[in-house]
Amino acid sequence: MTLSLPQHYREILVGLGENPDREGLLDTPQRAAKAMQYLCHGYEQSIEEIVNGALFASDNDEMVIVKDIELYSLCEHHLLPFIGKAHVAYIPTGKVLGLSKIARLVDMFARRLQIQENLTRQIADAIQEVTNAAGVAVVIEAKHMCMMMRGVEKQNSTMNTSVMLGAFRESNTTRMEFLQLIGRSK
Ligand SMILES: [Zn+2]
């Protein structure tokens, strides 16, 4: 017999030495299961469904940047949150993507079990695939609860990851312009 997600959480409480029948914990398995399903709802979404035709013809070929996109994800190694910001840029070649769609794509990949490096790559590849851009840049800065609350307990360390595609990879000037615009270079 396979257990439901709430039943698994009940077993976790037992495994932790808790009494799942005490008053404060009675509804915890249900609530925890629901919360975890919400934090992982990105598995039920797809790029196509999120973009949903919000691609517009444009002759703009200047860099489009969306800065400071709030990011909440779960590390796949410890199932603990990592929280931070994503900065995304691309150079259109005839098609631009609705701005809110970029944030929603970030969210879709973040709401899965992740490591920050893969998350950064998946966002960049998705933007590239959807827009056929001349270049895509994604930088993520995040704090990992698995570092802050356990193990080394490094409270203030932020992890930075970046993926540069096309023009951002090939042209120093383009990359520097992006890093300057997101405040990541002097
Ligand atoms: Zn971790």
Side-chain angles (χ1 to χ4, degrees), residues 60-83:
N60 174 34
D61 59 358
E62 298 292 330
M63 191 183 300
V64 176
I65 299 195
V66 188
K67 272 180 22 168
D68 299 325
I69 301 168
E70 277 179 59
L71 180 137
Y72 301 93
S73 192
L74 286 177
C75 90
E76 67 186 25
H77 298 145
H78 305 96
L79 304 184
L80 288 172
F82 63 97
I83 297 170

Side-chain angles (χ1 to χ4, degrees), residues 63 167-168 170-180:
M63 191 183 300
F168 291 95
E170 287 140 26
S171 159
N172 221 3
T173 319
T174 305
R175 186 168 57 247
M176 290 311 291
E177 184 187 343
F178 166 66
L179 292 174
Q180 247 154 29

Side-chain angles (χ1 to χ4, degrees), residues 135-169:
V136 177
V138 178
V139 166
I140 294 178
E141 320 170 18
K143 288 183 186 291
H144 290 245
M145 294 308 138
C146 59
M147 277 190 76
M148 296 171 70
M149 297 177 67
R150 55 167 286 287
V152 286
E153 294 191 23
K154 292 284 178 236
Q155 306 294 328
N156 291 310
S157 56
T158 301
M159 181 166 170
N160 296 310
T161 48
S162 68
V163 169
M164 305 281 160
L165 305 176
F168 291 95
R169 191 178 189 85

Side-chain angles (χ1 to χ4, degrees), residues 29-157:
Q30 281 293 347
R31 278 191 299 252
K34 219 175 152 192
M36 191 54 106
Q37 271 162 341
Y38 180 80
L39 298 181
C40 292
H41 72 244
Y43 289 120
E44 285 142 38
Q45 300 175 312
S46 68
I47 297 174
E48 295 70 30
E49 170 198 319
I50 282 177
V51 173
N52 191 26
L55 265 181
F56 308 103
S58 164
D59 47 20
N60 174 34
D61 59 358
E62 298 292 330
M63 191 183 300
V64 176
I65 299 195
V66 188
K67 272 180 22 168
D68 299 325
I69 301 168
E70 277 179 59
L71 180 137
Y72 301 93
S73 192
L74 286 177
C75 90
E76 67 186 25
H77 298 145
H78 305 96
L79 304 184
L80 288 172
F82 63 97
I83 297 170
K85 289 185 290 189
H87 313 290
V88 175
Y90 70 103
I91 300 171
T93 55
K95 282 186 289 184
V96 292
L97 187 57
L99 275 192
S100 69
K101 301 296 185 181
I102 293 179
R104 290 197 57 206
L105 283 173
V106 169
D107 211 43
M108 176 184 87
F109 290 112
R111 299 304 195 168
R112 297 176 181 185
L113 303 182
Q114 283 288 5
I115 65 170
Q116 189 176 324
E117 294 88 336
N118 293 345
L119 174 60
T120 313
R121 166 68 56 182
Q122 288 164 10
I123 295 166
D125 288 345
I127 307 277
Q128 177 65 53
E129 179 190 324
V130 169
T131 62
N132 194 30
V136 177
V138 178
V139 166
I140 294 178
E141 320 170 18
K143 288 183 186 291
H144 290 245
M145 294 308 138
C146 59
M147 277 190 76
M148 296 171 70
M149 297 177 67
R150 55 167 286 287
V152 286
E153 294 191 23
K154 292 284 178 236
Q155 306 294 328
N156 291 310
S157 56

